[in-house]
Amino acid sequence: NAGVTQTPKFQVLKTGQSMTLQCAQDMNHNSMYWYRQDPGMGLRLIYYSASEGTTDKGEVPNGYNVSRLNKREFSLRLESAAPSQTSVYFCASSFDRTSYEQYFGPGTRLTVT
Amino acid sequence: AQSVAQPEDQVNVAEGNPLTVKCTYSVSGNPYLFWYVQYPNRGLQFLLKYITGDNLVKGSYGFEAEFNKSQTSFHLKKPSALVSDSALYFCAVRDGLDRGSTLGRLYFGRGTQLTVWP
């Protein structure tokens, strides 16, 4: 039982490049989330998926898109990376959106130059 | 809007001494409050939660938190700190069950770096 896995662990992009961050969970959870963590700002929600087939914007969705590929996988895409998107990105999941506990992946550290 | 504040960026304490990490909240409706811990280069791990019931909530690794409705606080405590408790601690509040499509969203504080020295 791996929990929540994320790939890649590290990535460096040039401004304007695109990339997709992958997230998968093996806990049969219905809800999944993408957060970004910036120093002194805590975690901010980018997008979430309450259940398979649905996605909703969080606090900071601009510049990102998401795909809930199936129940296990929830990807985050940066179409045209900007230096302001330099951050650590965390994927999380919960059994459903009434669940109290979220389980987090190890994170992806992204640098945009 | 839901929000939490962690007034201290850093807390330093000697091993064996009690520790407190502070959190205050602002919510509409009943508060659903959480503490998460982040060790270096790791994702967040759930420590404990307050939903309803006793004001003193016990969680993992010997941590506990005290819910105080009149002071809108949810401080994290441990009677005797360990060096291995050194980590980044986040307080969070969640939307209540009456909040429609935003149900399940967590709002995090900025985090408090706890350092326990030997």
Side-chain angles (χ1 to χ4, degrees):
Chain A
N1 191 340
V4 180
T5 57
Q6 293 182 237
T7 56
K9 285 187 167 48
F10 302 93
Q11 184 71 47
V12 179
L13 291 178
K14 292 187 182 341
T15 298
Q17 287 184 318
S18 62
M19 79 161 295
T20 300
L21 280 64
Q22 306 286 355
C23 173
Q25 51 87 12
D26 61 2
M27 295 175 283
N28 200 34
H29 285 172
N30 292 291
S31 299
M32 298 184 74
Y33 312 82
W34 276 106
Y35 294 90
R36 60 177 288 173
Q37 183 182 25
D38 301 295
M41 300 193 71
L43 276 76
R44 292 180 292 170
L45 184 66
I46 305 171
Y47 270 93
Y48 66 105
S49 171
S51 60
E52 186 179 355
T54 69
T55 60
D56 287 286
K57 295 178 180 179
E59 299 172 66
V60 289
N62 291 344
Y64 305 96
N65 284 302
V66 290
S67 295
R68 183 75 183 267
L69 303 169
N70 47 55
K71 190 171 184 178
R72 290 186 64 248
E73 298 171 288
F74 187 39
S75 62
L76 178 72
R77 182 158 179 86
L78 288 70
E79 290 292 351
S80 179
S84 61
Q85 294 178 305
T86 294
S87 188
V88 181
Y89 291 85
F90 289 100
C91 178
S93 70
S94 63
F95 180 72
D96 61 29
R97 52 186 202 175
T98 68
S99 301
Y100 298 123
E101 183 175 345
Q102 292 184 13
Y103 295 80
F104 285 79
T108 294
R109 187 173 295 274
L110 175 66
T111 302
V112 183
T113 61
Chain B
Q2 324 288 53
S3 66
V4 293
Q6 295 180 242
E8 302 157 317
D9 291 334
Q10 286 213 312
V11 170
N12 299 310
V13 65
E15 188 172 34
N17 283 0
L19 70 86
T20 299
V21 182
K22 296 180 181 177
C23 172
T24 58
Y25 66 88
S26 174
V27 302
S28 54
N30 293 322
Y32 298 86
L33 297 160
F34 304 82
W35 277 101
Y36 281 79
V37 59
Q38 184 181 29
Y39 298 101
N41 301 313
R42 303 286 297 275
L44 277 69
Q45 296 178 35
F46 172 81
L47 268 184
L48 52 79
K49 65 180 183 286
Y50 173 82
I51 306 300
T52 187
D54 289 341
N55 290 340
L56 188 64
V57 178
K58 293 193 184 296
S60 306
Y61 312 121
F63 284 92
E64 56 192 27
E66 187 171 10
F67 172 69
N68 187 316
K69 189 172 183 178
S70 63
Q71 297 186 3
T72 62
S73 67
F74 188 57
H75 300 333
L76 182 69
K77 301 183 179 191
K78 188 172 183 182
S80 179
L82 299 172
V83 172
S84 57
D85 293 330
S86 298
L88 188 57
Y89 290 81
F90 290 95
C91 183
V93 63
R94 204 197 77 171
D95 279 332
L97 296 175
D98 57 347
R99 298 279 296 176
S101 64
T102 62
L103 186 68
R105 287 181 54 175
L106 282 174
Y107 299 85
F108 287 88
R110 301 192 317 175
T112 298
Q113 180 66 48
L114 172 68
T115 301
V116 181
W117 72 83

